[in-house]
Amino acid sequence: MARGIRLLVLDVLKPHQPLVTELALGLSELEGVEGVNITLVEIDKETENIKVTIVGDNLNYDEIVRTIEEFGGVVHSIDMVAAGRKIIEEEETPQDKLEE
């Protein structure tokens, strides 16, 4: 039975080095992690703003943050989290249509 945090989407700021490939591999080795996606959102002279999506079973948020920090990154925010037996897909609401 699945338990705990199953999905995390994090807004992260990191230096150009190490590469996002290295960060993805480092995160993928953590206990409970089944998959890691990293998307480059913005880049400047010294840093990269990335979106880190992690799926798994009973993800350890503190361990994930510690790993990101070991790679020189800083978590700016938790943009999405899912917990429980099932990850629920977001549905569009009338409020979402007003924002467009």
Side-chain angles (χ1 to χ4, degrees):
M1 174 191 293
R3 57 191 169 83
I5 297 173
R6 305 224 22 237
L7 167 75
L8 275 174
V9 179
L10 305 173
D11 178 17
V12 174
L13 185 69
K14 66 171 275 311
H16 294 300
Q17 296 295 325
L19 299 174
V20 292
T21 53
E22 296 172 57
L23 176 58
L25 289 171
L27 290 168
S28 71
E29 293 176 2
L30 298 178
E31 185 175 338
V33 173
E34 293 177 12
V36 176
N37 289 355
I38 297 180
T39 303
L40 180 64
V41 175
E42 189 174 5
I43 190 167
D44 69 18
K45 185 175 179 180
E46 297 178 13
T47 61
E48 301 171 347
N49 182 248
I50 57 176
K51 178 174 82 170
V52 179
T53 304
I54 304 171
V55 295
D57 186 26
N58 202 25
L59 298 174
N60 184 326
Y61 175 74
D62 293 332
E63 186 177 17
I64 290 167
V65 170
R66 191 167 31 258
T67 301
I68 290 170
E69 290 173 347
E70 287 172 2
F71 280 83
V74 176
V75 175
H76 278 178
S77 64
I78 300 172
D79 292 349
M80 183 183 289
V81 62
R85 290 189 301 261
K86 180 178 178 181
I87 295 175
I88 300 168
E89 298 294 324
E90 284 193 30
E91 296 294 330
E92 190 174 86
T93 65
Q95 293 85 351
D96 295 327
K97 292 179 184 178
L98 292 174
E99 293 175 4
E100 295 174 354

